[in-house]
Amino acid sequence: MTAVFLGWAAVAFGGVSFIYPAPNTWVENSNHLILKLNSTEVTGVRVGVNGVVSDLLVVGSPEYRRAFQDILIVQPVWDRGRNEVTVETFIGNNRAEAAQASVYFAPGAKASDIPPEFKANSFHQPDLEARCVGCHDMAPSSDKSLSTLAKENPCIGCHRKMLDVKFVHGPAGTYSCGYCHKEKATPRFAVTKREAALCNECHGDKAAEFAKRKYIHGPIAGGMCEVCHDSHGSANYSQLKAPINELCLSCHESIKKTPHVVRTTTGTGHPVSGAKDPSAPKTGREMSCISCHNPHAGDVRYFFVNNAEDRLLLCQMCHNK
């Protein structure tokens, strides 16, 4: 029997229910695929994403049943864009059920970039949370929500993986989820403010510093902190959503097309990577766009880090002979 899915709801006729992500929704991360098998007789499951199918996952042992009952939680490997997800359940060697759903994976995307047939995914709904209360505290006290101990904080059990990165944002690293995420928001545990309105509650000193500058970089002027920074953490310096040069060039594409600053004897421009940053030798970081340009604001048009109008003075920060 095939499970049929309509809109937001997972309507299963004796078959598999997609708990997270819901069918025809879009997600920004690939941490979880949660399925309810709706049968205690199922002994194995195969999951496929865009035609790549897993080995048989054994779910029928007494140990598995005691721990997870008829729930299966795996970490999917989504492709960017549309993903066709298939699920097959088995009782012994016999295939029992088949189900499928479409999920759109768009890390760092804006809602306006998503095809209209995919809705934003929202897990914290009463009917979905009710499926998790056997193992998870879905109605934590405010003290627990702000607990800095992993074993007490109710969010970490499911969301720990977003902190398994090199550069973790301070509040996320101390499990202070409740400072930004509100239980009484709609949907539940959403953030009630975004971008600079939220960030400046802690980083007001930086906002005041930028405001004093003559020139403010476009995203900063628009209060769009999340265009560049991940609010939880990332593999990149300062919780950037991509390596520095990759991030800058995602907007400043024209820089790729011509030699930058000067044309050398080889026809290339000034290097912007591949060497230690001579402007900040104590950091040990690699040369990048921020070696010369302040990414937030400055007193000169091109946001030179030394705030000098004379470009030669910028050059002399490194080329002082």
Side-chain angles (χ1 to χ4, degrees):
M1 184 180 297
T2 300
V4 180
F5 302 100
L6 302 173
W8 284 93
V11 183
F13 297 95
V16 176
S17 299
F18 284 73
I19 305 304
Y20 179 90
N24 301 323
T25 62
W26 70 277
V27 293
E28 292 188 86
N29 61 65
S30 59
N31 292 339
H32 300 97
L33 171 63
I34 305 175
L35 306 169
K36 184 170 174 60
L37 306 177
N38 292 316
S39 171
T40 57
E41 297 183 6
V42 172
T43 57
V45 180
R46 281 200 180 101
V47 179
V49 178
N50 294 333
V52 179
V53 181
S54 72
D55 294 333
L56 188 69
L57 306 174
V58 178
V59 299
S61 69
E63 294 80 10
Y64 187 95
R65 290 294 183 207
R66 281 197 296 270
F68 301 105
Q69 301 173 37
D70 66 340
I71 298 290
L72 175 65
I73 304 173
V74 296
Q75 181 177 356
V77 179
W78 303 129
D79 294 328
R80 283 181 178 267
R82 182 185 294 267
N83 290 266
E84 300 299 334
V85 189
T86 59
V87 180
E88 295 177 289
T89 63
F90 294 81
I91 299 176
N93 294 324
N94 299 315
R95 193 173 85 155
E97 312 261 23
Q100 63 183 30
S102 296
V103 174
Y104 198 89
F105 179 49
K110 297 180 293 186
S112 58
D113 297 331
I114 310 302
E117 62 267 32
F118 292 94
K119 301 180 183 295
N121 190 86
S122 177
F123 171 78
H124 285 287
Q125 305 290 340
D127 57 328
L128 296 178
E129 289 188 341
R131 300 174 186 266
C132 303
V133 294
C135 298
H136 297 277
D137 182 358
M138 304 308 293
S141 66
S142 57
D143 288 343
K144 278 189 175 182
S145 294
L146 292 174
S147 175
T148 58
L149 300 176
K151 65 180 181 180
E152 293 182 359
N153 189 286
C155 308
I156 301 307
C158 292
H159 299 290
R160 180 189 301 275
K161 197 167 184 66
M162 67 172 58
L163 305 182
D164 292 342
V165 291
K166 185 175 182 179
F167 298 95
V168 178
H169 190 206
T174 57
Y175 314 132
S176 303
C177 313
Y179 284 121
C180 299
H181 296 270
K182 305 302 180 184
E183 181 180 2
K184 295 183 179 180
T186 304
R188 192 171 179 229
F189 297 119
V191 290
T192 55
K193 299 177 182 178
R194 295 298 299 265
E195 304 285 3
L198 178 60
C199 300
N200 288 345
E201 288 187 355
C202 291
H203 299 288
D205 58 330
K206 301 302 292 184
E209 176 188 330
F210 302 152
K212 294 177 182 178
R213 300 300 183 185
K214 185 176 179 180
Y215 296 91
I216 301 177
H217 191 204
I220 304 303
M224 298 185 293
C225 309
E226 294 178 61
V227 168
C228 297
H229 298 278
D230 188 298
S231 55
H232 297 102
S234 80
N236 306 296
Y237 170 79
S238 293
Q239 296 90 47
L240 294 174
K241 290 187 171 181
I244 294 170
N245 287 4
E246 180 181 328
L247 185 64
C248 297
L249 293 175
S250 67
C251 289
H252 300 282
E253 294 181 354
S254 62
I255 302 299
K256 301 178 187 178
K257 301 175 182 178
T258 58
H260 193 49
V261 183
V262 296
R263 185 186 296 273
T264 66
T265 56
T266 62
T268 58
H270 190 281
V272 293
S273 63
K276 294 296 183 182
D277 185 352
S279 70
K282 293 182 179 180
T283 66
R285 71 188 185 196
E286 183 181 355
M287 178 184 286
S288 67
C289 301
I290 66 169
S291 300
C292 296
H293 304 278
N294 190 312
H296 297 111
D299 292 327
V300 294
R301 183 180 175 190
Y302 294 106
F303 309 110
F304 293 146
V305 292
N306 65 346
N307 279 314
E309 291 280 2
D310 188 337
R311 297 186 186 190
L312 287 178
L313 292 179
L314 178 69
C315 301
Q316 289 172 13
M317 288 179 60
C318 301
H319 304 280
N320 53 11
K321 291 185 178 180

